């Protein structure tokens, strides 16, 4: 069958750096960190006392009080991001065939805040018998953001959540891309959301020694590829892209931002939490994305890397890039925007795909901030253009975004400038 072409026509985001896409992007280009002391709970007894929280989020700007009580914070972020993306894409909801529109929205964890509160209340008040909020389960489950968005807008197309840890929302984008190009929908609302900056979330990652403990300088804690990196910084928020079949977008005069041309998936099949030391899964996923897109490695101008600022992960990814791209690896730009947003877990792929889209649209590469000194490990080759500390102007025709998750899940998506 002839595959349909798929384009991006709308973007939405609520992040530690802004309440919308434009504010977030401006701060990204200016190298602003979203890290600060945790305010969601008292972190004084935790090893890590800071994170990249969404600032000044008021649910009542998006929902009435009754509706907000039915939604975990992660779902609130998801709906807020989707609202912006749908408005941004300029579609007429009155004439849109909603049977042909889907929602594929990811979460790596889902409603952990709701889970902690409900279970905590039960064990603190066991003598009262089992008393649970009737919305406990629908607030908690990781698919509910996709369901809530479809209910709000009446979209009857494919509707589900993808869950592959930190690769979750890249998988959502790839699934949306695949469904549209196979003719199963004309438009899909795709993205991810997470709100895991909770005692359980921070405490759990602390127990694994996965988080930075640089409590004295939070804004400089996420430092991918620096010798002194000591773990990732948690972030929360939501991000959304509107993927649309090209002819459908043209027929309604949509503003086409770029084209989605390929996606790849792989498994490390190695370890619960660590990446393969030789970057095996990372190499496979980038090669598969390039093959799916019908592109040679030298077509890529920018890679938004997973780059979490962990000692092992940064090494394996840089090693994989050198092996996949060969000599061209020294000509393309690389950057980790997690150095500014923190790690949005299940939402990371969606927000980083947005940054990749905006790099293509604006011909600029965002920086990797907080670089101090190079690692002594020879597998991090500092002749690669990591775009340290300052955004760089260059023509970006093709951008690739990598995400890797606990369990060895890897996903990469490729976007390029739209041409007729």
């Amino acid at each position: 069958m002839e595959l349909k072409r798929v384009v991006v026509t709308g973007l939405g985001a609520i992040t530690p750096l802004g309440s919308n896409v434009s504010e977030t992007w401006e701060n990204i280009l200016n190298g602003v960190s979203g890290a600060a002391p945790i305010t969601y709970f008292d972190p004084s007894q935790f090893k890590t006392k800071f994170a990249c929280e969404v600032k000044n989020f008021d649910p009542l700007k998006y929902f009435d009080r009754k509706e907000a009580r039915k939604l975990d914070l992660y779902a609130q972020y998801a709906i807020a991001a989707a609202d912006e993306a749908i408005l941004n894409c300029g579609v007429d909801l009155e004439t849109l065939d909603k049977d042909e529109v889907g929602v594929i929205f990811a979460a790596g964890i889902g409603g952990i805040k709701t889970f902690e509160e409900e279970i905590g209340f039960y064990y603190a008040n066991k003598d009262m018998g089992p008393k649970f909020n009737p919305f406990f389960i629908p607030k908690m489950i990781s698919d509910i953001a996709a369901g809530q968005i479809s209910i709000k807008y009446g979209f009857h197309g494919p509707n589900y959540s993808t869950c592959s840890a930190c690769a979750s929302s890249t998988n959502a984008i790839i699934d949306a891309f695949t469904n549209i190009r196979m003719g199963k929908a004309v438009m899909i609302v795709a993205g991810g959301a997470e709100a895991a900056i909770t005692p359980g979330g921070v405490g759990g990652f602390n127990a694994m020694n996965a988080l930075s403990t640089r409590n004295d300088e939070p804004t400089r804690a996420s430092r991918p590829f620096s010798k002194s990196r000591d773990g990732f910084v948690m972030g929360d928020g939501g991000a959304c892209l509107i993927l649309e079949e090209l002819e459908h977008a043209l027929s309604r005069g949509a503003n086409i931002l770029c084209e989605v041309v390929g996606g790849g998936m792989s498994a490390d099949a190695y370890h619960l939490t660590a990446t393969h030391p030789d970057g095996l899964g990372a190499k496979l996923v980038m090669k598969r994305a390039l093959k799916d897109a019908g592109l040679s490695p030298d077509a890529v101008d920018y890679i938004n890397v997973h780059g979490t600022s962990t000692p092992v992960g940064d090494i394996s990814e840089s090693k994989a890039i050198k092996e996949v791209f060969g000599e061209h690896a020294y000509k393309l730009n690389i950057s980790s925007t997690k150095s500014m947003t923190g790690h949005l877990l299940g939402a990371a792929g969606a927000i980083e795909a947005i940054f990749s889209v905006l790099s293509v649209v604006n011909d600029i590469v965002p920086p990797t901030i907080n670089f101090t000194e190079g690692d002594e490990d020879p597998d991090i080759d500092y002749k690669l253009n990591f775009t340290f500390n300052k955004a760089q102007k260059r023509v970006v025709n093709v951008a690739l975004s990598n995400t890797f998750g606990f369990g060895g899940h890897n996903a990469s998506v490729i976007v390029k400038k739209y041409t007729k």
Side-chain angles (χ1 to χ4, degrees):
M1 64 179 292
E2 183 179 352
L3 297 176
K4 310 285 188 181
R5 291 175 68 183
V6 182
V7 293
V8 177
T9 56
L11 304 173
I14 181 159
T15 76
L17 294 175
S19 58
N20 53 51
V21 170
S22 61
E23 186 180 351
T24 298
W25 181 238
E26 180 180 1
N27 282 323
I28 283 286
L29 294 183
N30 289 327
V32 176
S33 170
I38 290 171
T39 64
Y40 293 171
F41 63 92
D42 179 5
S44 58
Q45 294 186 339
F46 289 75
K47 289 191 292 184
T48 296
K49 300 172 175 56
F50 63 95
C52 290
E53 299 175 334
V54 170
K55 317 297 190 296
N56 304 313
F57 179 73
D58 181 3
L60 300 183
K61 291 181 179 178
Y62 304 92
F63 317 98
D64 64 39
R65 196 174 302 276
K66 183 178 179 182
E67 190 66 23
R69 286 200 298 267
K70 300 176 184 178
L71 299 166
D72 184 86
L73 187 58
Y74 101 92
Q76 293 177 8
Y77 291 155
I79 296 167
D83 286 349
E84 183 188 3
I86 292 167
L87 179 65
N88 180 244
C89 84
V91 71
D92 184 347
L93 293 170
E94 295 299 318
T95 60
L96 180 65
D97 183 355
K98 296 179 181 179
D99 289 352
E100 298 296 317
V101 181
V103 183
I104 305 177
F105 222 90
I109 298 174
I112 187 172
K113 182 174 185 288
T114 293
F115 185 85
E116 288 182 21
E117 289 173 350
E118 290 291 321
I119 297 300
F121 180 85
Y122 168 70
Y123 280 104
N125 300 277
K126 288 182 68 174
D127 57 324
M128 297 171 53
K131 292 187 181 297
F132 290 93
N133 187 315
F135 293 104
F136 172 30
I137 300 302
K139 284 177 69 174
M140 177 196 68
I141 50 181
S142 60
D143 70 299
I144 206 65
Q148 290 280 12
I149 293 166
S150 70
I151 291 167
K152 178 173 182 176
Y153 287 98
F155 296 151
H156 296 284
N159 181 252
Y160 58 94
S161 173
T162 52
C163 183
S164 47
C166 305
S168 295
S169 52
T170 303
N171 279 130
I173 293 166
I174 292 171
D175 278 12
F177 169 59
T178 301
N179 273 278
I180 294 171
R181 71 171 171 171
M182 293 183 68
K184 296 183 178 182
V186 298
M187 179 185 289
I188 293 183
V189 180
E194 207 77 270
I197 303 173
T198 67
V202 174
F205 283 118
N206 265 163
M208 298 166 57
N209 295 315
L211 298 181
S212 171
T213 56
R214 203 175 295 276
N215 295 304
D216 56 337
E217 47 179 359
T219 61
R220 293 179 53 79
S222 183
R223 47 181 69 190
F225 307 107
S226 286
K227 179 181 179 179
S228 54
R229 64 192 184 279
D230 69 330
F232 74 84
V233 177
M234 287 185 71
D236 66 358
C240 180
L241 300 87
I242 306 299
L243 272 61
E244 190 169 353
E245 192 270 319
L246 174 60
E247 294 304 319
H248 185 269
L250 291 173
S251 70
R252 66 179 188 85
N255 177 33
I256 295 173
L257 299 171
C258 70
E259 184 171 1
V260 183
V261 291
M265 295 175 281
S266 74
D268 280 356
Y270 169 71
H271 189 272
L272 279 176
T273 58
T275 56
H276 193 284
D278 294 324
L280 175 65
K283 287 185 284 188
L284 284 172
V285 78
M286 289 187 282
K287 287 179 179 179
R288 288 171 180 169
L290 288 165
K291 182 179 179 180
D292 191 43
L295 295 173
S296 61
D298 61 6
V300 176
D301 301 299
Y302 168 50
I303 302 175
N304 187 299
V305 292
H306 188 58
T308 57
S309 188
T310 57
V312 175
D314 290 0
I315 293 172
S316 62
E317 188 171 12
S318 58
K319 182 188 293 187
I321 289 170
K322 284 183 64 177
E323 292 197 28
V324 171
F325 291 91
E327 286 303 310
H328 184 65
Y330 299 96
K331 300 175 184 177
L332 54 77
N333 280 68
I334 296 164
S335 72
S336 172
T337 48
K338 287 186 180 73
S339 59
M340 295 167 281
T341 63
H343 191 348
L344 272 65
L345 307 179
I351 191 59
E352 289 158 19
I354 286 176
F355 298 150
S356 300
V357 169
L358 293 173
S359 292
V360 167
V361 170
N362 296 289
D363 286 325
I364 192 168
V365 174
T368 305
I369 68 167
N370 295 331
F371 179 72
T372 53
E373 59 179 322
D375 197 310
E376 294 167 358
D377 192 301
D379 286 319
I380 297 185
D381 186 344
Y382 290 96
K383 292 179 182 177
L384 297 173
N385 187 356
F386 289 103
T387 325
F388 286 131
N389 299 323
K390 187 176 181 180
Q392 183 177 327
K393 290 287 292 183
R394 68 164 290 169
V395 174
V396 182
N397 288 310
V398 177
L400 182 152
S401 180
N402 283 336
T403 46
F404 312 139
F406 285 176
H409 313 297
N410 307 303
S412 299
V413 66
I414 299 177
V415 297
K416 68 184 289 287
K417 285 191 190 302
Y418 165 68
T419 55
K420 293 182 181 180

